[in-house]
Amino acid sequence: MSNELKNGHVPAPSTNFLRGIIEADLAAGTYAGRTDSQGQALPPMVTRFPPEPNGYLHIGHAKAICLNFGLARDYGGRCHLRFDDTNPEKEDQEFVDTIIDSVKWLGFDWQQDGKPHLYYASNYFDTMYAGAQALIRSGLAYVDEQSADEMRATRGTLTEPGTDSPWRNRTAEESLRLFEEMRDGKHADGSLILRAKIDMASPNMNLRDPAIYRIRHATHHNTGDKWCVYPMYAFAHPIEDALENISHSICTLEFEDQRPFYDWVLARLSDEGLFKKPLPHQYEFARLNLTYIITSKRKLKQLVDEKIVDGWDDPRMPTIVGLRRRGYTPEAIRLMCDRTGASKNNSWIDYSILEGALRDDLDPKAPRAVAVLRPLKLIIDNFPENHSVECSAPVYPPAHPLHDSEHRRFPISKNLWIEQEDFMEVPTKGYFRLFPGNKVRLRYGYVVECTGCDKDANGNVIAVHCNYFEDSKSGTPGSANYKVKGNLHWVSADHALHTEVRLYDRLFTDAHPDAGGKDFKLALNPNSREVIEACLEPTLNAAKPGEIYQFERHGYFVVDHIDAASDKPVFNRAVTLKDSWVAK
């Protein structure tokens, strides 16, 4: 595993080679003085985020979003949101809507000078069709009648050149006629295809007469049934960039081999007078490879369709909507993207880097609360019956500006809940919590001394007994007289909020669940979700959906929703306080 960031260590800010390229272009004035089709001055650099609306965005897309929008923001440019919707069979308005929502949630928008720079590739279909006609007239494209299998067989290999199609030298007039017939719906899907005429012996397979238009009798989410021919992505992409005056077209490394064709399309159509110079330039960066997840849309869809997860927004999914529901913040995701930088080298980023970014974002600002996840009854035998004393604790951590001014208040009473692991009848070496004869402080409350425990018929501890020292309450002068090593969290049993808490963990136990053709489902983590009833401090009764708290000692939790039957908040664990993950 090369260049892997591990163990939650905070890496130094990574380099971003794209900044050097942009700064050099700005210094040279490469894209200065440009105007759009209405004669309006263009920014010195323009980027775009061009998702295909055929699924939900995932954490890998977040990296591209942060790069494109972030670079445009930092250099006084503009970033467009563009839907590359050239495949009507896989695209849907549902995906358009969720993409828009996810980009906004991450903190970016496409407004500039009062104009929304939101675009659809499908709005350019007329221009793309005209561009294809221009290539045909110039002898640079032709209609092929070979089947997909025949084209594949004649394409050649990495060491052998391809073979010319028998239709490669048909006249421009005949190709134009057939292309119009394709547009008019006179031919079946797959019966004809338009190919660029470049070089069947090129060492770059992408230049061996690539397909640029195919027949698809399918209703498009944006254009309806107007078209039954659709451009291939590799042909559409450079045209979209040129029409939108993109300066820096930033893609992931898998498109590097496509760049010669990108440049070929732009150069030829510029020669035809469709575009003016300077033309867009494509740059590639290494995609975000995060361990313990999969990002294949097909495989993610399989998880949803087979009900392995509870939908695209399941908190275990690497989708933006899933991470959001899990309790991840836009700031944390942007921080992770910034820390991992942009390079030309593929590397794996350990999942702990993402978790660490969330901890670093939430630690100084998340309100605190106490939760007991595995309750065990603690009875203070000498505490008055039917009596309670108010305890107080800061709402926010010390770094927060409201730390000293805002406090939460909750009662302590005779019957409490503590964590099961906070009592041992026979303690191990170095154990400083409750055991017979030991004193501990109940955090924000009193010092108590353990006197024993109750057991059921099977010998299981069902209650712990202790006595408290009335002059030991935290915040009072007498508390300084007590020196104890243990400091336990607790919740009053008479006042606790009993509610559902979901303990989410990584969906896979294998760092690379689908690498090398592995069946990713064999690596599913059977403990990726545990649903428990926890006992929470009563102040959390008022918690609202989307609010994130640090449950002291346990981690960060977000309110998923308010249960309709009980009117109680239901919590999802976003991340533990420390990175101690192991597959269970």
Side-chain angles (χ1 to χ4, degrees):
M1 201 184 305
S2 63
N3 301 326
E4 186 166 324
L5 300 174
K6 299 181 179 180
N7 301 325
H9 296 153
V10 177
S14 298
T15 57
N16 185 334
F17 75 98
L18 294 167
R19 291 186 179 276
I21 291 171
I22 293 170
E23 288 168 7
D25 283 339
L26 292 176
T30 305
Y31 295 96
R34 296 188 304 159
T35 58
D36 62 19
S37 57
Q38 283 78 45
Q40 298 296 313
L42 288 164
M45 54 89 70
V46 183
T47 61
R48 82 289 171 273
F49 172 61
E52 181 182 1
N54 64 349
Y56 284 70
L57 298 183
H58 53 64
I59 187 65
H61 294 113
K63 180 65 172 282
I65 292 169
C66 291
L67 269 178
N68 281 287
F69 282 95
L71 289 169
R73 174 201 62 209
D74 293 347
Y75 291 102
R78 184 172 77 206
C79 184
H80 298 176
L81 176 61
R82 179 210 302 152
F83 290 99
D84 265 321
D85 54 348
T86 60
N87 189 347
E89 295 171 312
K90 295 183 177 181
E91 296 157 357
D92 192 270
Q93 186 63 38
E94 173 192 356
F95 301 132
V96 171
D97 295 340
T98 186
I99 289 170
I100 288 175
D101 181 66
S102 292
V103 175
K104 286 182 177 179
W105 178 76
L106 279 171
F108 300 105
D109 68 64
W110 39 92
Q111 296 275 341
Q112 190 175 79
D113 299 328
K115 179 181 178 182
H117 293 278
L118 173 64
Y119 303 99
Y120 293 83
S122 53
N123 289 341
Y124 307 139
F125 281 168
D126 288 318
T127 302
M128 294 176 188
Y129 185 83
Q133 288 179 310
L135 293 180
I136 295 172
R137 293 191 193 96
S138 299
L140 297 173
Y142 61 96
V143 173
D144 196 349
E145 297 183 36
Q146 291 182 104
S147 67
D149 289 340
E150 289 171 332
M151 287 178 60
R152 195 174 300 111
T154 58
R155 195 174 180 220
T157 66
L158 293 174
T159 57
E160 298 177 355
T163 304
D164 285 357
S165 164
W167 314 104
R168 193 173 195 267
N169 293 318
R170 73 189 332 159
T171 64
E173 290 74 19
E174 186 177 5
S175 281
L176 280 171
R177 176 181 59 80
L178 289 172
F179 190 43
E180 291 175 1
E181 290 179 0
M182 291 166 60
R183 179 200 61 192
D184 294 340
K186 296 181 179 180
H187 298 276
D189 289 6
S191 60
L192 300 174
I193 196 162
L194 183 67
R195 300 176 68 179
K197 185 188 291 187
I198 306 179
D199 182 3
M200 290 301 292
S202 172
N204 185 332
M205 301 283 282
N206 295 294
L207 295 180
R208 294 183 184 178
D209 290 11
I212 58 177
Y213 257 95
R214 78 283 203 198
I215 303 172
R216 286 288 185 276
H217 289 85
T219 300
H220 190 280
H221 77 96
N222 186 32
T223 60
D225 295 318
K226 178 181 178 180
W227 296 92
C228 59
V229 288
Y230 293 94
M232 306 298 288
Y233 174 81
F235 178 67
H237 182 208
I239 294 176
E240 297 160 27
D241 284 350
L243 289 171
E244 293 178 21
N245 298 293
I246 302 301
S247 58
H248 299 78
S249 181
I250 301 170
C251 308
T252 45
L253 276 177
E254 61 262 37
F255 293 100
E256 187 171 30
D257 287 344
Q258 289 281 1
R259 193 190 333 140
F261 183 56
Y262 179 98
D263 293 339
W264 184 91
V265 171
L266 289 179
R268 299 302 172 273
L269 294 183
S270 177
D271 292 343
E272 295 295 323
L274 270 72
F275 308 128
K276 58 183 180 181
K277 297 179 179 179
L279 297 168
H281 190 89
Q282 178 178 303
Y283 301 94
E284 305 86 19
F285 71 98
R287 67 187 302 168
L288 179 65
N289 295 309
L290 202 64
T291 57
Y292 295 99
I293 67 167
I294 58 175
T295 54
S296 161
K297 287 182 180 178
R298 177 181 60 82
K299 294 173 183 176
L300 292 175
K301 186 175 186 296
Q302 188 176 349
L303 290 174
V304 174
D305 291 346
E306 296 181 12
K307 301 189 183 306
I308 296 170
V309 297
D310 298 328
W312 289 97
D313 67 343
D314 187 296
R316 295 165 292 178
M317 290 280 274
T319 53
I320 300 298
V321 291
L323 290 166
R324 181 179 181 177
R325 190 174 164 204
R326 175 77 170 260
Y328 275 83
T329 62
E331 295 87 352
I333 294 175
R334 295 199 304 265
L335 178 60
M336 186 274 295
C337 291
D338 183 57
R339 285 176 172 172
T340 54
S343 75
K344 297 283 285 187
N345 300 314
N346 278 315
S347 62
W348 285 94
I349 308 300
D350 194 81
Y351 193 82
S352 61
I353 299 300
L354 176 60
E355 293 176 321
L358 181 59
R359 293 187 189 101
D360 290 344
D361 176 52
L362 293 178
D363 180 62
K365 67 183 184 184
R368 274 36 176 177
V370 173
V372 176
L373 302 185
R374 317 281 182 184
L376 174 64
K377 181 66 68 70
L378 176 66
I379 303 170
I380 307 177
D381 291 318
N382 64 337
F383 200 92
E385 293 279 359
N386 303 316
H387 178 67
S388 65
V389 174
E390 184 179 81
C391 297
S392 175
V395 173
Y396 295 103
H400 197 282
L402 298 178
H403 171 74
D404 295 327
S405 60
E406 292 200 13
H407 289 74
R408 61 193 203 272
R409 305 185 189 282
F410 43 87
I412 189 168
S413 59
K414 185 180 186 70
N415 298 302
L416 308 177
W417 295 114
I418 61 170
E419 293 289 347
Q420 294 175 10
E421 65 182 19
D422 285 347
F423 172 78
M424 293 183 71
E425 190 173 14
V426 180
T428 57
K429 184 178 180 180
Y431 187 81
F432 299 116
R433 303 174 199 175
L434 281 173
F435 57 87
N438 193 44
K439 294 184 181 71
V440 301
R441 176 169 293 282
L442 299 178
R443 188 168 169 83
Y444 311 122
Y446 297 96
V447 171
V448 298
E449 182 177 6
C450 181
T451 59
C453 63
D454 298 332
K455 298 180 182 180
D456 62 16
N458 297 317
N460 299 311
V461 176
I462 57 174
V464 178
H465 290 266
C466 67
N467 289 319
Y468 87 115
F469 299 89
E470 190 174 0
D471 63 344
S472 66
K473 187 171 184 290
S474 295
T476 65
S479 66
N481 298 325
Y482 293 85
K483 306 297 181 185
V484 295
K485 292 184 177 180
N487 195 323
L488 303 189
H489 293 79
W490 56 272
V491 175
S492 170
D494 299 326
H495 305 87
L497 167 63
H498 294 259
T499 192
E500 181 178 307
V501 173
R502 290 92 169 266
L503 303 178
Y504 287 104
D505 208 335
R506 301 180 188 185
L507 186 58
F508 297 101
T509 58
D510 188 334
H512 309 283
D514 59 348
K518 289 185 291 189
D519 182 355
F520 66 95
K521 291 196 292 183
L522 296 178
L524 285 166
N525 180 7
N527 302 304
S528 63
R529 181 179 66 176
E530 181 184 4
V531 180
I532 62 173
E533 182 177 289
C535 300
L536 280 54
E537 70 174 62
T539 62
L540 290 172
N541 266 305
K544 300 293 190 294
E547 292 181 347
I548 302 174
Y549 297 82
Q550 184 196 97
F551 288 179
E552 297 179 17
R553 175 178 174 177
H554 294 299
Y556 296 94
F557 292 73
V558 64
V559 181
D560 185 74
H561 65 280
I562 304 299
D563 181 75
S566 67
D567 201 32
K568 296 177 180 178
V570 175
F571 288 85
N572 296 335
R573 182 174 67 190
V575 67
T576 55
L577 284 183
K578 296 181 179 179
D579 176 27
S580 56
W581 189 85
V582 291
K584 299 181 180 68

